[in-house]
Amino acid sequence: MGRRILFLGPQGSGKGTQASRLSALLGVPHISSGDMLRQAVAEGTDLGKRAEAIMAAGDLVPDDLVVAMVAERLGKEDARCGFLLDGFPRTQAQARALDEAVHGDAVDTVVLLEVPHEELMDRLLKRAEEQGRRDDTPEAISRRLELYREETAPLADYYPQHGVTLATIDGFGTIDEVFVRIAMALAGDA
Ligand code: AMP
């Protein structure tokens, strides 16, 4: 059985970038709920139609829709030897639903990326300018950071209470520096 790692961190913490690198290193799929939802929107599926306006506002897509989407993805063959979850679960209800869907051993390690608030805002505003992502308006960015604090950050307590290892990583630095910190933390508890 491979690694089942959850990346936790606010928007702009670099978790997508780091999860994608680590996925290449470990040879397990990078499962990003945000990427899956953006794809559903681009393809105009029923799910995409329901999610589009919610995502543009920076709000959370309803738990049942996201849970069904990710549970189906985790059931695919390539996820049997491990995976990296990015952006899911984002609420305690999602974490509980995930545990139920996969009989309690969904995740073995949580990687929590911590970045100071000012650095986050700098990165996010820069990204909005460079990439022109339609859902990166200043209002949507603040809303996502607020929801992260209220709904998602408590998962950093939830998982250790359920026997999952928590690796808290300083996410301030270059992509390479942060990646080395993550790889070392994971090697330590392998
Ligand atoms: P992300 O790329 O992870 O920042 O996700 C982009 C947007 O997709 C979020 O702002 C939410 O609207 C939606 N989203 C992604 N993952 C979830 C989730 N686990 N639960 C609810 N909404 C989500």
Side-chain angles (χ1 to χ4, degrees), residues 149-165:
R149 263 196 316 274
E150 288 171 3
E151 302 281 352
T152 312
L155 293 177
D157 296 323
Y158 172 90
Y159 276 108
Q161 283 162 9
H162 290 76
V164 174
T165 306

Side-chain angles (χ1 to χ4, degrees), residues 7-19 111-123 148 167-183 185:
F7 272 79
L8 214 56
Q11 189 189 22
S13 62
K15 70 187 154 48
T17 306
Q18 298 294 345
V111 173
L112 172 65
L113 280 177
E114 289 191 327
V115 175
H117 185 79
E118 292 208 336
E119 167 72 9
L120 280 183
M121 291 307 290
D122 281 357
R123 288 184 188 179
Y148 176 79
T168 302
I169 305 291
D170 176 6
F172 188 67
T174 65
I175 291 173
D176 284 342
E177 283 164 354
V178 176
F179 187 68
V180 168
R181 288 176 202 145
I182 294 171

Side-chain angles (χ1 to χ4, degrees), residues 1-7 26 28-29 74 79-85 102-111 164-165 186:
M1 176 59 92
R3 305 298 302 265
R4 299 182 309 271
I5 298 168
L6 164 63
F7 272 79
L26 298 179
V28 296
L74 290 175
R80 285 179 55 166
C81 293
F83 48 79
L84 298 175
L85 281 177
V102 297
H103 311 297
D105 59 358
V107 172
D108 60 52
T109 309
V110 172
V111 173
V164 174
T165 306
L186 292 173

